[in-house]
Amino acid sequence: QSALTQPASVSGSPGQSITISCTGTSSDVGSYNLVSWYQQHPGKAPKLMIYEVSKRPSGVSNRFSGSKSGNTASLTISGLQAEDEADYYCCSYAGSSSHVVFGGGTKLTVL
Amino acid sequence: QVQLVQSGAEVKKPGASVKVSCKASGYTFTSYGISWVRQAPGQGLEWMGWISAYNGNTNYAQKLQGRVTMTTDTSTSTAYMELRSLRSDDTAVYYCARSLSDIVGSSWDSWGQGTLVTVSS
């Protein structure tokens, strides 16, 4: 069982927007602005999409955005494209005891 | 450009040890940390630990404490992860990843290609 809770799957049609939630606790997501999101295509290494809750690395499309409210972080993908179909993982710093925790991952299907 | 190149696949017997390397290039090695993340077949990502390439400080996941050691060789810009007393549930792809900054909670912007470690008798 993962420390952060994500929906197992989400889906959307091309051009639509989807949001993936990531629920933690006051010991991780709720306490630190060190939430990140990773995209992983089958057989590939993860790719950083969002860091520090809402910052986008250079080269990542502005269709990807992140936010946080309380103990829940969210990743929103607007204007869905076929290439967005992948697994998405959230991750948070969790303090000096647990250090870093992941969500279980969400499989995004573009219909 | 930043590149992390990992060592090749390994097959180990239960109880053995494995040491995976991660050679960095394209940046100042000692200015960033390195984390190790693993992924069992068909499963999610699991953080294993972090090492500062600046001073060698480490933080390990509680479940791996006592079995894992992370080190760096600054002369060759290489990070290492050794896992001992291997079990079948250690079978996974092991990734190294560079932190955005030299703190344990920092995100990872560059990843190695992954190293498959298979533990089987």
Side-chain angles (χ1 to χ4, degrees):
Chain A
Q1 188 173 356
S2 301
L4 306 180
T5 301
Q6 299 180 232
S9 63
V10 298
S11 62
S13 299
Q16 288 185 332
S17 294
I18 63 95
T19 296
I20 299 172
S21 62
C22 170
T23 301
T25 69
S26 58
S27 297
D28 38 63
V29 174
S31 286
Y32 305 97
N33 287 326
L34 290 173
V35 176
S36 51
W37 290 88
Y38 298 89
Q39 176 192 67
Q40 187 180 35
H41 288 107
K44 301 294 187 182
K47 176 186 176 183
L48 180 64
M49 306 303 286
I50 295 289
Y51 67 101
E52 293 175 14
V53 176
S54 60
K55 298 179 181 178
R56 250 187 336 269
S58 173
V60 172
S61 171
N62 59 9
R63 298 186 298 106
F64 291 83
S65 62
S67 62
K68 188 182 86 167
S69 177
N71 297 336
T72 298
S74 299
L75 172 72
T76 297
I77 309 173
S78 60
L80 269 180
Q81 299 179 0
E83 68 214 45
D84 299 332
E85 186 163 292
D87 293 325
Y88 291 85
Y89 294 91
C90 63
C91 180
S92 175
Y93 180 61
S96 58
S97 56
S98 301
H99 301 303
V100 177
V101 290
F102 276 104
T106 298
K107 181 175 181 58
L108 169 61
T109 300
V110 180
L111 302 170
Chain B
Q1 74 283 18
V2 176
Q3 199 170 12
L4 301 174
V5 178
Q6 299 182 221
S7 49
E10 303 260 14
V11 179
K12 296 292 183 181
K13 293 192 182 303
S17 298
V18 69
K19 191 170 186 177
V20 179
S21 67
C22 170
K23 184 170 177 57
S25 61
Y27 70 98
T28 302
F29 183 68
T30 52
S31 295
Y32 299 83
I34 293 281
S35 271
W36 290 86
V37 174
R38 70 180 180 178
Q39 186 170 36
Q43 302 300 309
L45 302 173
E46 177 185 14
W47 180 77
M48 299 180 66
W50 168 89
I51 182 167
S52 165
Y54 173 70
N55 58 19
N57 285 349
T58 55
N59 291 106
Y60 300 136
Q62 287 181 348
K63 69 176 285 189
L64 295 175
Q65 285 275 2
R67 287 208 299 140
V68 67
T69 301
M70 296 176 187
T71 56
T72 60
D73 181 344
T74 56
S75 69
T76 60
S77 299
T78 303
Y80 298 91
M81 184 284 299
E82 181 180 32
L83 189 61
R84 300 176 293 279
S85 302
L86 289 168
R87 309 187 289 247
S88 59
D89 62 357
D90 291 318
T91 294
V93 175
Y94 289 74
Y95 293 102
C96 62
R98 186 189 79 159
S99 299
L100 285 173
S101 63
D102 194 31
I103 61 171
V104 64
S106 183
S107 306
W108 312 297
D109 64 342
S110 293
W111 294 66
Q113 82 275 21
T115 296
L116 175 62
V117 175
T118 303
V119 183
S120 174
S121 54

